[in-house]
């Protein structure tokens, strides 16, 4: 071997070690000044010492580096335990450099010297992998490999257990709706799915038993259908999503697409029966979110009491992106002209501050025997003068307004006069509501008043109802009870999920309960008659020190059943290497973070869990017989930074140029003293700064509040430049579904799969590759051939970044 080749390699290693050392030392000293770990500065010094010794061809360089390897391992185990991904982030660069140092073109030059006059040339190299100063480094790297192997097969985040097989009591299965199988015209047939959550109880539970843990692995595609409606059309907002959960009535499936097409399919074959384009003017499209989560269905009234006017006794109701509620005939998709004005109700009626695309309903309304109850969504963080969050009930036959509940005037529920308008900017109900017709109550998950991160000007009514679940009297719209999940919400912790109604056996008594998932990770279990907690709720002290002009609530409610993660610390920071992990530690120290409910601040506050939500609109699935919940908690941290506005009307400008983060004109908060800069807490490489897992499947006993099992879920196959299917546990958006056969289904992970799980243990039973992101909630039904089908919509999610599509896929066991 030529003399120049090993010399060049040796000097390349010297330069590499020096660069790594300077980076670690500089960043480490910064972190020390911020009150963080001393490790990185110490590692930087050892990198530099190794480089200096290596430049002198001293074998001691390898011993010093062995000290760095073993010291890093001890520190990493102390901080992270046997957890593969946190360990790899701390040690990957150091291990790779260690192996490079053991290569022959490095070791052969160590200890080498030119022979004196008359002295024979050396016959052997003094340093090697298993001799001299190379031996300690080899041994330390061997220990690292053993720990790596052990950690690969260890999951410290996993909870193992088996759910109870408790059967529901007879009283809980009475016609009052204990099994959640009732609709406005009686029992829902086992093989049908007649509402977003199958029934108005919102359980996402089917009594079908054809698919079991023993045969779920045999599921295969029975048919597929493409709607032809994909995102990317002119005027589409970024968050254009295909989130629909279809209905199954008779042998037909009914679904809607993002651009407001309503489609009927043969449930057994997937063939299109009819299609209706509701013809939304592109200029009227939603400005922030364009989606349709589903339709609502009212069966034909019983002949003895039928009062249907006009056409179509049975009806489908579709809320549109331009603020209409349209009634359709499920037979052929024709307009039900007897409803409202020529088949539709104008939801802009009596609405303040009319602006096309700023108010609409993304979620299917509640339908009862007599009423249809509709909420709506407004723009987030644009201004303090958005439309009203009023919730309205219309006669399901005629479309006439029966009552309106405006949370700013909660006692004035009589239909508003034609020349009046509802209250500007009152909290809205954008998600899916639930209903118990036997108790005569509709249950609304309520959002926050814009702006989400500043509450200095909120009224007493807003303070009472914001981020709450509210029970209204079906007949009058009057408040029966209210339970607030967040006090003085400054984090966009609006209640995002449909409440699930279930009868629970507690202390030998049957309690009509409501399970309310929240973004911050609580599952509040309440008596749905009174709103009183069934599982204990504790008011816990919360961080103070809100921005000038605002305040923070002294306490916040925490449920006995909570998926709230532990507070983040420097040890929880992560990255592809030790250096972006170091950058995340520095970023964490520069933010304000006092744990959960840290108020937004001018310096920037870490919000964890973030407003993406531990739970979002997909909610949870509950089994009314076993009295358990199948859940999909997601953990992502966000950063919230208040930006003082120069005035409350003009676009935010700084230094004569608008900052990039304020484009497009969202998060401006016109009318408030602060704009808001929002974003995920990620590293310079775009990876989450917090260590994985970021997503799980888990199950809880609703009678005890105990999380029985919890497993990380999903892979990085579709979320990384190289499609490596590492099972790290990834975020989920889109809810689960459960069956009486003991199998749960989920498609909402950011990798493109639908998966089946054993409800009892959480064991994954089956998975199938999807053509796009599956950000919708699956459903199940029975076809005319007697088979049980599982239906999945794969259309992607714009702001989540999953691949778009237009697929509807049905799976079944082989014939």
């Amino acid at each position: 071997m030529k003399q120049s080749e090993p010399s060049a390699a040796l000097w390349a290693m010297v330069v590499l070690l020096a660069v790594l050392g300077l980076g670690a030392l500089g960043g480490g000293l910064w972190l020390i000044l911020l009150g963080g770990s001393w490790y990185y500065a110490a590692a930087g010094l050892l990198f530099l010492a190794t480089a200096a010794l290596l430049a002198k061809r001293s074998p001691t360089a390898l011993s010093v580096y062995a000290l760095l390897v073993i010291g890093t391992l001890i520190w990493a185990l102390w901080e992270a335990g046997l957890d593969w991904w946190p360990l790899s982030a701390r040690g990957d660069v150091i291990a790779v450099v260690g192996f490079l140092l053991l290569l022959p073109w490095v070791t052969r030059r160590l200890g080498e010297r030119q022979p004196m006059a008359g002295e024979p040339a050396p016959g052997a190299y003094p340093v090697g992998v298993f001799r001299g100063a190379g031996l300690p480094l080899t041994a330390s790297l061997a220990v690292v490999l053993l720990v790596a192997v052990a950690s690969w097969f260890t999951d410290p985040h996993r909870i193992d257990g088996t759910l109870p097989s408790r059967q529901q009591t007879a009283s809980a299965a009475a016609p009052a709706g204990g099994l959640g199988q009732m609709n406005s015209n009686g029992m829902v047939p086992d093989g049908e799915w007649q509402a977003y959550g199958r029934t108005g109880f919102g359980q996402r539970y089917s009594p079908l038993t054809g698919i079991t843990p023993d045969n779920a692995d045999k599921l295969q595609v029975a048919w597929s259908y493409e709607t032809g409606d994909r995102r990317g059309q002119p005027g589409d907002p970024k968050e254009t999503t295909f989130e629909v959960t279809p209905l199954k009535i008779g042998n037909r499936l009914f679904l809607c697409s993002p651009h407001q097409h309503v489609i009927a399919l043969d449930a057994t074959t997937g063939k299109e029966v009819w299609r209706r384009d509701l013809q939304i003017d592109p200029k009227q499209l939603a400005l922030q979110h364009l989606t349709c989560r589903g339709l609502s269905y009212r069966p034909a009234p019983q002949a003895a009491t039928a009062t249907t006017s006009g056409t179509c006794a049975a009806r489908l109701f579709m809320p549109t992106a331009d603020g209409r509620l349209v009634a359709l005939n499920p037979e052929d998709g024709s307009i039900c002209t007897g409803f409202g004005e020529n088949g539709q109700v104008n939801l802009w009626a009596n609405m303040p501050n009319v602006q096309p695309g700023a108010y609409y309903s993304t979620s299917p309304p509640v339908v009862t025997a007599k009423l249809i109850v509709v909420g709506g969504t407004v723009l987030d963080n644009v201004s303090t003068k958005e439309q009203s969050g009023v919730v309205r009930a219309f006669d399901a036959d005629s479309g006439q307004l029966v009552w309106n509940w405006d949370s700013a005037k909660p006692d004035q529920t009589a239909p508003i006069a034609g020349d009046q308008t509802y209250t500007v900017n009152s909290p809205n109900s954008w998600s899916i509501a639930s209903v118990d017709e036997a108790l005569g109550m509709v249950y609304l998950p309520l959002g926050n008043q814009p702006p989400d991160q500043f509450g200095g000007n909120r009224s007493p009514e807003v303070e009472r109802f914001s981020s709450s679940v509210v029970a209204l009297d079906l007949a009058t719209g009057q408040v029966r009870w209210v339970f607030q999940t967040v006090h003085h919400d400054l984090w966009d912790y609006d209640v995002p999920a449909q409440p699930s109604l279930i009868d629970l056996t507690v202390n030998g008594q049957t309690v009509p309960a409501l399970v309310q998932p929240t973004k911050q990770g609580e599952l509040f279990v309440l008596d749905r008659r009174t709103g009183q907690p069934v599982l204990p709720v504790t008011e816990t002290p919360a961080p103070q020190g809100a921005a000038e002009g605002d305040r923070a609530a002294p306490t916040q409610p925490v449920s006995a059943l909570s998926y709230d993660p532990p507070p983040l610390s420097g040890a929880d920071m992560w990255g592809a290497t030790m250096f972006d992990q170091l950058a995340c530690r520095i970023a964490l120290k520069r933010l304000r973070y006092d744990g959960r409910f840290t108020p937004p601040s001018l310096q920037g506050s870490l919000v964890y869990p973030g407003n993406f939500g531990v739970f979002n609109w997909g909610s949870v699935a509950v089994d009314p017989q076993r009295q358990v919940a199948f859940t999909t908690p997601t953990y992502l941290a966000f950063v919230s930074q208040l930006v003082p506005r120069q005035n409350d009307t003009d676009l935010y400008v700084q230094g004569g140029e608008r900052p990039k983060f304020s484009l497009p004109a969202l998060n401006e908060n016109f009318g408030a003293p602060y704009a808001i800069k929002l974003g995920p807490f990620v590293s310079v490489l775009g990876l989450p700064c917090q260590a994985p897992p970021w997503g799980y499947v888990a199950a809880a006993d609703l009678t005890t509040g105990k999380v029985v099992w919890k497993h990380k879920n999903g892979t990085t196959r579709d979320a990384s430049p190289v499609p490596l299917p590492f099972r790290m546990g990834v975020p989920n958006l889109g809810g689960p579904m459960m069956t009486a056969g003991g199998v749960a289904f989920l498609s909402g992970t950011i990798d493109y799969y639908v998966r089946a799980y054993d409800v009892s243990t959480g064991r994954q039973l089956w998975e199938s590759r999807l053509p796009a992101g599956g950000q919708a909630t699956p459903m199940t039904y029975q076809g005319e051939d007697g088979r049980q089908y599982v239906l999945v919509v794969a259309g992607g999610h714009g702001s989540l970044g999953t691949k778009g599509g237009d697929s509807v896929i049905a799976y079944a066991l082989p014939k």
Side-chain angles (χ1 to χ4, degrees), residues 415-442:
I416 193 171
D419 59 349
Q420 295 181 337
T421 58
Y422 300 112
T423 304
V424 173
N425 214 42
S426 54
N428 64 320
S429 183
W430 59 266
S431 191
I432 305 98
S434 300
V435 64
D436 186 333
E437 293 187 69
L439 290 178
M441 281 188 270
V442 60

Side-chain angles (χ1 to χ4, degrees), residues 427-428 446-452 458 466-467 489-492 494:
N428 64 320
L446 223 60
N448 204 356
Q449 180 189 65
D452 291 313
R458 293 175 186 167
S466 181
S467 301
D489 185 358
L490 300 176
W491 306 273
D492 191 18
D494 49 357

Side-chain angles (χ1 to χ4, degrees), residues 95-152:
V96 169
V97 172
F99 285 113
L100 290 177
L101 286 171
L102 290 175
L103 293 176
W105 49 81
V106 174
T107 58
R108 287 177 179 178
R109 307 306 295 171
L110 298 181
E112 184 184 70
R113 61 181 178 82
Q114 294 296 325
M116 302 290 290
E119 187 178 35
Y125 298 110
V127 178
V129 174
F130 298 109
R131 64 177 178 271
L135 184 58
L137 180 55
T138 300
S140 65
L141 290 172
V143 174
V144 167
L145 287 176
L146 290 174
V147 171
V149 171
S151 66
W152 185 260

Side-chain angles (χ1 to χ4, degrees), residues 219-240:
L219 285 167
Q220 59 188 26
V221 174
W223 57 259
S224 62
Y225 170 83
E226 286 73 45
T227 68
D229 184 355
R230 289 180 174 236
R231 69 175 184 241
Q233 300 183 25
D236 282 2
K238 181 178 181 180
E239 195 157 306
T240 298

Side-chain angles (χ1 to χ4, degrees), residues 388-413:
S388 179
V390 64
V391 176
R392 287 168 282 191
F394 299 94
D395 186 291
D397 178 35
S398 67
Q400 182 178 357
L401 182 63
V402 176
W403 52 258
N404 37 234
W405 183 71
D406 184 341
S407 60
K409 302 175 181 177
D411 299 325
Q412 301 177 25
T413 61

